[in-house]
Structure formats: C-alpha cells, structure tokens
Amino acid sequence: MEYLEFEHPIKELEEQLQKCMIIGEESDVDVSETCLQIEKKLEETRKDIYKNLTAWQRVQLSRHPNRPYTMDYINAICGDTFLELHGDRNVKDDKAMIGGLGKIGDQSYMFIGQQKGYNTKTRQYRNFGMANPEGYRKALRLMKSAEKFGIPVVCFIDTPGAYPGIEAEERGQGEAIARNILEMTRLKVPIIVVIIGEGASGGALGIGVGDKVLMLENTWYSVISPESCSSILWRSWEYKEQAADALKLTATDMKKQKLVDEIVKEPLGGAHSNRDKTFETVRSKISAHFEELKKLSPKELVKTRMEKYASMGVFNG
C-alpha cells in the first residue's frame, strides 16, 4: 500500500497496530486493550483526514497509483461480456483510448474511456492516458456505431490531457476534440459520463459531453492542471496548492456551478481503499441513470442535452 504525504498519520498508526498484534502473537502479554485503542484512534484519524481534504489533496488522491483505472471498472462491471473494439479506420489504434461493447445485466452499453498504465512499461504503452487524434476519432466511430444500433454510451474520464506532441497537432488534435464535442451534443442515444480520476482540459471534454455527468468524490475536472496553472501565473510549480483552490476543480465546486449532475461517494480513503464497493456504486449509478434516460425519445434527449450545455456559464444579475 502506498501512502500520500497527508496520509502519514494513518500509516504510523497502522504500523503501530501491526507491531502491537505481533507482540501479542509472539508473547503471552495481553495486548487486546492496546490494539483496540490504536484501532479506535486509527478510525478517528481516518475520518478526520478524509473529511477535511483540500482541493490539492483531492488532486493527489485522483492520481493515487493504486486507484482503479477504466479497464478495472469495465472488467468489474461487465465481467466477461466486454468486447474491445480497435482502430479509427484512418491512422491506427490508440492505446490511450479504449472502447468496446459490454453488458450490465441484460442491457448492452458502448464503453469508452482513457486508460493509464500500472508500471513504467504499461504507462509508455498507454501513453500515460493521453490520447492522440486517432483516439478521439476511434471514440467517435464507436459512438456513431452505438447510435446506429440504439446502444447507450458510457464514457470514463481519466486523463492528464490530450497528447500535446507535434505529431498529434499535425494530425489535427484540436479538430478531433472539437468534432467529438459537436457530435456528442447531437448523438441520438443516452450518454452517461463518469469522471473516475483526472479530468484535464480538452482531453477530458473530447469524451465528456453527456446527458448525465457524474464525478467521483476524489476527482477533479478543470481547463488546466494545478501545476500548469501555477507555472503560468507564478512561473513556478510551487504554488500548485493555491492554484488548485483557485481553479474550483473539485466535485463539490463542479456540482455547485452546475457543470456536473451528481457526486458519487467513494469509500473512506478513496476509491482504491475498497475497490469492490466503488465498482458496485458506479455500476448501480449507470443503471439508474439509464433507466431514467431511456424514457426520453431521441429528439427529447438531444434537445435536453443541448439546453443543458447552452445554459452553462449564463449569469442572471
């Protein structure tokens, strides 16, 4: 288990509890009372830390190396019904963007999402979750296929941004993202978007237009990362914590601004602390929102979605 900087008090108490239990096992000393006290203190510390997280600490949690990624959610939610589909039929298959058909119960869905790697080799293979234009074009191809067969779309967002390399710009990164945003606003099937980690910039928006946009509790969604914002405004990364506060990028801030529809509660300690519970919660949320959206006709669906996005940023003084 890896611990973040602000989780060190929890780490220390867990180590104390482990030592206490070892002493009890290796000697005749009764340490049950001491262990109970440490457990109680550990529970209190956990609650105290996770209930008072700053914006920057939530950013750190969203990047936790043990946090589940898109494929973890898909495999847990769909089991062996998932069939991955490849390629944009133009350039190549982008490994940072995955997609395919899967079932929740008897209902088929088209799942699309950015995938990060678990170690150095897979991170390079997945390009650190940063998609190229062909990734966004693959996503659009799959959405159009879903529309053709009347299958709802589920998008999982977890990216530090679209790939900013020269070759990506040469192949039309900006156009690919803009095209996806346009096409998603008028797609004639329900779209459910779930932000499961980082939601950075146009890279997230490229698959982020939905009838329902859900944000896990310890995720962030913003036009720029706190580090990049800090480097632009202060010419240094040292002010990333102030930048995170100023950007209003947490799930609570997003809900307040009416930019997302719902905050999905995570287990105490983050999504990685109880993966099964997180997967079950996300699964039930997707099903519940689809039940609501399937009552609308394609025309009503597009009209409601258009109105939702058109009203964003409007201020009545």
Side-chain angles (χ1 to χ4, degrees):
M1 182 70 181
E2 291 191 47
Y3 294 87
L4 299 167
E5 199 179 328
F6 64 88
E7 293 176 315
H8 281 169
I10 296 168
K11 183 186 179 184
E12 285 167 16
L13 285 166
E14 282 181 347
E15 285 171 355
Q16 283 176 27
L17 182 61
Q18 207 171 0
K19 283 174 189 172
C20 187
M21 289 164 82
I22 290 167
I23 290 165
E25 285 166 14
E26 291 179 352
S27 66
D28 297 328
V29 181
D30 182 17
V31 292
S32 56
E33 188 62 37
T34 312
C35 284
L36 275 171
Q37 284 176 355
I38 297 170
E39 277 177 7
K40 193 180 175 185
K41 176 76 174 151
L42 180 60
E43 194 60 34
E44 285 170 6
T45 306
R46 270 207 188 104
K47 282 179 182 172
D48 189 46
I49 286 173
Y50 294 119
K51 279 184 180 172
N52 299 294
L53 291 173
T54 64
W56 173 245
Q57 285 168 344
R58 290 198 191 277
V59 170
Q60 287 178 295
L61 266 180
S62 76
R63 298 169 175 168
H64 198 289
N66 301 121
R67 197 174 173 86
Y69 296 139
T70 297
M71 278 309 295
D72 298 317
Y73 282 92
I74 290 171
N75 290 332
I77 289 168
C78 303
D80 57 3
T81 66
F82 181 66
L83 171 69
E84 190 175 351
L85 300 168
H86 299 272
D88 71 336
R89 301 291 184 271
N90 190 11
V91 179
K92 62 176 181 178
D93 183 41
D94 191 337
K95 306 299 181 189
M97 185 78 76
I98 55 153
L101 291 160
K103 282 188 170 185
I104 298 178
D106 294 325
Q107 176 62 47
S108 293
Y109 292 87
M110 181 66 81
F111 290 94
I112 295 162
Q114 291 107 350
Q115 175 67 23
K116 292 177 176 175
Y118 301 94
N119 52 37
T120 307
K121 196 174 180 181
T122 55
R123 281 176 194 136
Q124 287 176 325
Y125 179 72
R126 296 289 181 186
N127 200 30
F128 301 88
M130 296 188 291
N132 276 283
E134 50 271 23
Y136 292 101
R137 287 173 184 137
K138 171 166 78 169
L140 181 58
R141 181 177 76 80
L142 299 184
M143 287 179 212
K144 285 291 186 184
S145 296
E147 183 182 50
K148 185 178 177 181
F149 297 106
I151 297 167
V153 174
V154 175
C155 295
F156 291 113
I157 291 177
D158 187 13
T159 180
Y163 184 59
I166 291 170
E167 61 272 35
E169 297 300 336
E170 284 172 346
R171 292 197 296 274
Q173 185 72 285
E175 188 277 335
I177 292 169
R179 171 69 55 190
N180 277 26
I181 294 169
L182 171 67
E183 296 292 348
M184 286 181 89
T185 56
R186 57 193 189 191
L187 207 72
K188 293 181 177 69
V189 290
I191 308 170
I192 298 164
V193 176
V194 189
I195 299 158
I196 57 169
E198 298 184 90
S201 192
L205 278 178
I207 56 165
V209 178
D211 300 293
K212 295 291 176 184
V213 180
L214 319 179
M215 246 182 120
L216 265 69
E217 199 178 359
N218 297 309
T219 61
W220 62 278
Y221 198 22
S222 174
V223 71
I224 194 170
S225 71
E227 293 95 330
S228 299
C229 177
S230 172
S231 66
I232 290 168
L233 294 181
W234 289 282
R235 310 274 183 223
S236 164
W237 278 29
E238 285 177 28
Y239 299 91
K240 53 188 181 285
E241 292 179 40
Q242 285 110 299
D245 283 329
L247 284 166
K248 304 292 180 200
L249 43 66
T250 66
T252 314
D253 293 321
M254 289 287 120
K255 183 77 172 70
K256 203 173 172 181
Q257 302 288 346
K258 296 189 171 75
L259 298 173
V260 298
D261 300 288
E262 189 181 343
I263 299 169
V264 180
K265 287 283 284 180
E266 290 184 26
L268 194 70
H272 56 283
S273 63
N274 189 340
R275 285 176 164 230
D276 293 337
K277 190 180 175 184
T278 306
F279 297 146
E280 190 47 51
T281 306
V282 170
R283 178 193 169 109
S284 64
K285 291 286 180 192
I286 291 169
S287 297
H289 283 294
F290 173 67
E291 288 303 311
E292 194 185 314
L293 293 168
K294 74 175 185 182
K295 295 170 188 170
L296 301 173
S297 69
K299 199 173 180 180
E300 288 172 321
L301 208 59
V302 173
K303 185 174 180 286
T304 310
R305 194 186 304 142
M306 288 274 201
E307 284 170 358
K308 174 189 167 183
Y309 281 90
S311 67
M312 284 182 186
V314 174
F315 178 73
N316 297 316

